[in-house]
């Protein structure tokens, strides 16, 4: 279950993906499959090759992309890898409230 974000943030994320950008969206998230995770960062792009190349820089495998028919395919970043990537991308401050 996702929470802690507004509809306009989701719309902005989707618009960035539609423009072919690498887009980030971090929100609170609870899933019984990942009991230690309290947040997720979705990193998406409509160009799957561009997204895969971006992910390869962080040792993310292409097959980990959540490919969606609606065009909003993305990687899900969790835990320490999430924090590490956000820091390297200069996005840690904007996600700080989700990473406590």
């Amino acid at each position: 279950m996702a929470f802690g974000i507004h509809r306009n943030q989701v719309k902005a994320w989707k618009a960035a993906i539609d423009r072919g950008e690498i887009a980030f969206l971090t929100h609170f998230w609870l899933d019984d499959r990942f009991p230690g995770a309290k947040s997720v960062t979705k990193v998406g792009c409509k160009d799957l090759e561009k997204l895969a190349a971006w992910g390869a820089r962080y040792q993310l495998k292409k097959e980990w992309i959540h490919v969606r028919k609606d065009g909003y395919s993305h990687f899900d970043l969790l835990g320490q890898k999430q924090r590490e990537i956000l820091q390297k991308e200069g996005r840690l401050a904007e996600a700080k409230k989700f990473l406590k």
Side-chain angles (χ1 to χ4, degrees):
M1 174 176 27
F3 52 100
I5 55 174
H6 299 282
R7 181 170 286 143
N8 62 344
Q9 291 170 292
V10 175
K11 286 182 179 181
W13 180 72
K14 288 181 174 182
I17 288 173
D18 291 340
R19 291 189 301 269
E21 299 172 15
I22 299 292
F24 293 77
L25 180 67
T26 301
H27 57 80
F28 288 116
W29 181 70
L30 297 176
D31 187 314
D32 291 340
R33 296 172 297 164
F34 306 96
K38 302 265 190 274
S39 67
V40 64
T41 297
K42 296 183 176 296
V43 182
C45 185
K46 73 177 182 178
D47 180 339
L48 294 181
E49 291 304 316
K50 182 176 180 179
L51 183 58
W54 175 88
R57 293 186 357 220
Y58 299 107
Q59 295 77 46
L60 302 177
K61 297 179 182 178
K62 183 176 183 175
E63 54 267 23
W64 295 347
I65 296 173
H66 179 188
V67 178
R68 294 179 44 134
K69 290 180 183 180
D70 65 3
Y72 301 108
S73 300
H74 59 275
F75 283 108
D76 287 323
L77 307 179
L78 304 163
Q80 186 56 35
K81 193 69 162 177
Q82 175 189 21
R83 183 179 291 276
E84 171 193 325
I85 291 172
L86 289 174
Q87 183 171 12
K88 288 179 179 176
E89 289 285 330
R91 296 178 167 273
L92 194 56
E94 68 191 56
K96 205 68 158 177
K97 75 177 184 175
F98 302 107
L99 300 173
K100 295 180 180 179

